Amino acid sequence: MQEIKVVHRENDAFTVLIRDHVIGVDQPYTSGGMDEGPTPVELFVAALAACAAHYARRYLAGRALPATGLEITADFAMNPGVPARVARVRLHLRPPVDLPAGALKGLEAAVASCTVQNSMLDPPQVDLDVLSAVPAV
C-alpha cells in the first residue's frame, strides 16, 4: 500500500508529501486561507484531469499520433447543499492535431478508463483511524 503524508504548516496550510514530492495546499483568501497553494478539492479535480491526460497521451503515443501539446482543462461545480462535494466536473480535451473520427472515439474510450475516474465511479472504501497524539520530544 502506498503512503501519502499530510503535515500541518499553519492556519489552513498543509504540506503534502508524496514519495520525494512536496505539494503545498491551502484555502483561498476568500475562505480565510493565505492562498499558498491549491485547495484539496482543486487537487482532486486536477488529479482527474491529469489522469485523463495521461491516458490520452498513452493512447496517442501507442498509435504513433502526435501527443506533444495535448491539453486538458477542467472546470467543476460544487454541490450547493450538504454534504459538501464536487457535483460536476467537465473535462475539455484538445488533441495537438485533428484526428480522424475513429481515433477520436478511441481517445474518448482511453480517457474513460482513467484510474481516477474509475475510482469515482466505484468509490473506494475509506477507513479512518484516529490515533493518539504524538508525544513531544
Side-chain angles (χ1 to χ4, degrees), residues 1 31-33 49 59 65 81 84 95 102 104 128 136:
M1 182 175 252
S31 297
Y59 174 85
L65 295 166
L104 284 175
L128 173 65

Side-chain angles (χ1 to χ4, degrees), residues 16-42:
V16 181
L17 305 167
I18 305 170
R19 297 189 324 270
D20 293 329
H21 307 284
V22 179
I23 301 169
V25 297
D26 197 1
Q27 295 297 311
Y29 293 114
T30 56
S31 297
M34 294 303 296
D35 204 17
E36 294 181 357
T39 68
V41 172
E42 290 166 334

Side-chain angles (χ1 to χ4, degrees), residues 23-124:
I23 301 169
V25 297
D26 197 1
Q27 295 297 311
Y29 293 114
T30 56
S31 297
M34 294 303 296
D35 204 17
E36 294 181 357
T39 68
V41 172
E42 290 166 334
L43 283 181
F44 170 73
V45 175
L48 176 62
C51 184
H54 167 75
Y55 277 78
R57 191 212 66 84
R58 286 271 177 102
Y59 174 85
L60 294 171
R63 281 141 193 85
L65 295 166
T68 302
L70 170 72
E71 190 177 285
I72 290 191
T73 57
D75 60 70
F76 66 97
M78 296 298 294
N79 179 38
V82 176
R85 67 178 188 85
V86 174
R88 181 195 52 77
V89 177
R90 179 172 289 124
L91 300 177
H92 307 274
L93 188 152
R94 186 180 309 277
V97 297
D98 287 330
L99 299 173
L104 284 175
K105 291 284 187 204
L107 186 59
E108 288 176 9
V111 170
S113 63
C114 156
T115 305
V116 175
Q117 180 174 325
N118 288 337
S119 298
M120 292 167 51
L121 296 173
D122 185 11

